[in-house]
């Protein structure tokens, strides 16, 4: 049974050099199916059994194989992987690889990346029974498991590739995926009530005509899903969008800025984090016709009035008792304008991006903090959502 921990999670899969390395291909797929993004590092021995190209194709990311390749190391190398990942899985963990990890060596792509990693590690050993039962291997495994960061799954008993029967088979893939799910560690969002606005609003002139914008709601939904994956109870007040809503969210659908305002204000009391990602229409027609306006009755001009600033008002109400994050979509002077908004609306953080990102699947943003610090992030919107929470949630 998957618990959903892997949804939106970033898994560094480290492949050791044993015959079970071929199963890393299917494991990659299973982890992806559970919702994880998988990046792979391989030992030189692993590459004797399965090629980096195979795993690159399956993971959709370059594979880290050589810390001495300047191109790899500067782009996705031994420090990038630990900075990127939520968890490491070593599969198959061979006797040799376990020994080198235990000794703190850094003589290949896998061990150098692991040396810089401080989070959870799941070992999935696979080797011949005699190697598994060797007292040196036992000692190495026990020493690693004495550190609570390390967990183990398998090895299973049964027929081995070399004809022996005994302990040493790589655990069945669903068991590895389940063990990866169980790596969930409590983080700053665990158990928190998070309220998010997402999507556009529609300000109707009549039943069929409205003012709106091309916001897809993708970014807000990705943020909602990533918060949920981190253990938060998430409510999304969502404007009109055809985007698929991820499971496990409490969704309140609204159409206009006024409706969004009312829905947010009603739910503000319980919120510990408020994130305004919606592209709220700043103006609405002063009046709305009950019936469709006939062509020949069309007015020469339409009087517009301001809609309520949901974020500004929520921020004033939440001051000091919740984390408040806004978005700023700008078509020029992105950073300067965003900083102004952060100050005007008294936010903890503002995520600045270009209006061209509205409908795209990926985005590049700058997260500005109240204390003047800033960080640039980019990636597809799911990836970016995780990065944004990791930037703002520790506060
Ligand atoms: O001032 P501006 O509309 O550019 O600020 C953008 C931020 O304010 C976004 O976080 C948006 O969700 C929020 N906002 C709001 N209500 C409005 C206008 C914007 O919550 N009426």
């Amino acid at each position: 049974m998957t618990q959903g921990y892997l949804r939106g999670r970033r898994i560094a899969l480290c492949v050791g050099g044993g015959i079970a390395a071929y199963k890393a291909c299917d494991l990659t797929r299973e982890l992806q199916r559970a919702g994880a993004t998988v990046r792979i590092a391989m030992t030189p021995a692993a590459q004797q059994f399965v090629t980096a190209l195979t795993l690159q194709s399956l993971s959709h990311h370059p594979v880290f194989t050589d810390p001495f390749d300047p191109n790899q190391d500067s782009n996705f190398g031994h420090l990038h992987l630990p900075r990127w990942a939520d968890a490491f899985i070593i599969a198959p963990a061979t006797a040799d690889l376990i020994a080198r990890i235990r000794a703190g060596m850094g003589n290949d792509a896998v061990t150098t990346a692991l040396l810089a990693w401080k989070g959870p590690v799941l070992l999935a050993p696979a080797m011949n029974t005699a190697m598994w039962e060797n007292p040196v291997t036992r000692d190495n495994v026990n020493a690693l498991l004495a550190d609570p960061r390390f967990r183990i799954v398998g090895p299973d008993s049964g027929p081995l590739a070399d004809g022996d029967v005994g302990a040493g088979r790589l655990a069945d893939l669903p068991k590895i995926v389940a063990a990866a799910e169980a790596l969930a560690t409590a983080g700053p969002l665990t158990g928190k009530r998070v309220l998010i606005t997402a999507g556009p609003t529609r300000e109707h002139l009549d039943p069929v005509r409205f003012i709106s914008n091309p916001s897809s709601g993708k970014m807000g939904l990705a943020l909602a899903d990533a918060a949920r994956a981190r253990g938060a109870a998430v409510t999304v007040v969502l404007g009109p969008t055809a985007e698929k809503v991820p499971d496990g969210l409490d969704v309140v659908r609204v159409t206009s800025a006024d409706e969004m305002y009312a829905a947010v204000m009603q739910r503000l009391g319980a919120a510990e984090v408020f994130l305004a990602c919606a592209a709220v229409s700043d103006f609405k027609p002063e009046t709305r016709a009950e019936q469709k306006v006939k062509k020949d009755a069309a007015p020469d001009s339409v009087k517009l009035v301001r809609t309520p600033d949901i974020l500004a008002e929520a921020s004033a109400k939440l001051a000091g008792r919740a984390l408040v994050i806004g978005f700023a979509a700008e078509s020029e002077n992105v950073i300067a304008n965003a900083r102004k908004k952060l100050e005007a609306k008294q936010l903890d953080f503002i995520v600045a991006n270009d209006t061209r990102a509205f409908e795209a699947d990926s985005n590049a943003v700058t997260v500005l903090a109240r204390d003047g610090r800033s960080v640039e992030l980019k990636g597809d919107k799911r990836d970016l959502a995780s990065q944004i929470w990791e930037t703002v949630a520790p506060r």
Side-chain angles (χ1 to χ4, degrees):
M1 238 328 249
T2 66
Q3 297 152 14
Y5 167 69
L6 288 172
R7 287 180 61 83
R9 285 283 160 158
R10 300 193 291 244
I11 301 295
L13 174 59
C14 297
V15 186
I19 178 59
Y22 81 92
K23 295 185 184 170
C25 303
D26 274 341
L27 180 57
T28 302
R29 303 289 289 270
E30 292 298 326
L31 291 166
Q32 288 168 332
R33 231 168 260 144
T37 305
V38 181
R39 294 201 180 194
I40 294 171
M42 301 174 79
T43 65
Q47 295 165 66
Q48 301 289 326
F49 292 93
V50 48
T51 70
L53 184 63
T54 305
L55 288 169
Q56 172 177 310
S57 309
L58 293 171
S59 67
H60 316 297
H61 290 287
V63 172
F64 182 41
T65 56
D66 182 1
F68 298 113
D69 175 347
N71 188 37
Q72 287 192 20
D73 207 56
S74 62
N75 292 315
F76 51 93
H78 74 293
L79 294 179
H80 290 81
L81 209 54
R83 279 188 198 132
W84 170 86
D86 295 319
F88 270 60
I89 299 177
I90 320 291
T94 60
D96 172 72
L97 183 51
I98 289 170
R100 289 188 294 114
I101 295 171
R102 192 242 169 134
M105 291 175 74
N107 53 347
D108 65 14
V110 168
T111 50
T112 49
L114 262 176
L115 273 179
W117 171 244
K118 299 193 187 107
V121 181
L122 178 65
L123 299 171
M127 64 196 76
N128 165 273
T129 308
M131 293 168 124
W132 175 246
E133 289 173 352
N134 186 305
V136 178
T137 305
R138 310 295 320 142
D139 189 47
N140 287 335
V141 170
N142 290 336
L144 287 177
L145 294 181
D147 176 347
R149 293 198 299 125
F150 282 85
R151 318 273 176 84
I152 193 164
V153 55
D156 286 351
S157 289
L160 302 174
D162 51 26
D164 281 2
V165 177
R169 284 171 62 86
L170 185 76
D172 283 345
L173 301 187
K175 255 169 81 177
I176 300 180
V177 173
E181 298 269 7
L183 287 175
T185 43
L189 287 177
T190 308
K192 289 279 186 294
R193 281 175 298 241
V194 175
L195 181 63
I196 296 179
T197 67
T201 66
R202 286 180 185 173
E203 311 305 326
H204 277 267
L205 293 127
D206 72 11
V208 293
R209 301 183 180 94
F210 53 80
I211 297 171
S212 191
N213 61 65
S215 164
S216 62
K218 277 185 194 144
M219 190 69 239
L221 287 170
L223 282 157
D225 195 39
R228 187 205 52 74
R230 283 164 175 71
V234 184
T235 299
V236 189
V237 179
L238 183 62
T241 169
E243 205 55 37
K244 189 176 175 307
V245 174
D247 294 337
L249 303 175
D250 170 31
V251 176
V252 184
R253 290 203 182 253
V254 296
T255 303
S256 66
D258 286 331
E259 286 171 23
M260 187 173 275
Y261 172 85
V264 166
M265 292 307 146
Q266 227 176 47
R267 290 164 179 83
L268 213 51
E272 292 159 284
V273 178
F274 178 62
L275 183 149
C277 192
V280 185
S281 176
D282 290 315
F283 308 99
K284 64 175 182 181
E286 187 177 38
T287 56
R288 173 186 173 152
E290 285 291 323
Q291 307 299 332
K292 184 180 167 193
V293 176
K294 297 277 176 254
K295 257 195 214 77
D296 46 18
D300 292 334
S301 61
V302 176
K303 177 141 195 258
L304 298 176
V305 295
R306 293 292 303 267
T307 55
D309 191 321
I310 302 166
L311 174 58
E313 202 160 315
S315 171
K317 291 209 160 86
L318 291 170
R321 68 170 179 88
L323 180 72
V324 182
I325 306 135
F327 265 67
E330 303 290 342
S331 55
E332 56 176 356
N333 298 330
V334 178
I335 303 297
N337 283 329
R339 173 78 54 201
K340 268 190 220 150
K341 276 179 200 173
L342 176 140
E343 272 148 30
K345 303 192 192 197
Q346 287 289 299
L347 310 176
D348 295 303
F349 291 93
I350 196 153
V351 182
N353 65 160
D354 200 287
T355 44
R356 281 168 293 205
F358 264 23
E359 289 161 292
D361 285 325
S362 62
N363 198 355
V365 303
T366 305
V367 182
L368 307 172
R370 190 188 284 207
D371 64 12
R373 283 190 288 177
S374 70
V375 42
E376 286 175 28
L377 306 171
K378 64 170 186 267
D380 75 56
K381 286 182 177 174
R382 289 179 62 98
D383 220 38
L384 197 58
S386 293
Q387 297 179 55
I388 290 172
W389 283 125
E390 262 137 50
T391 307
V392 306
R395 305 291 182 88

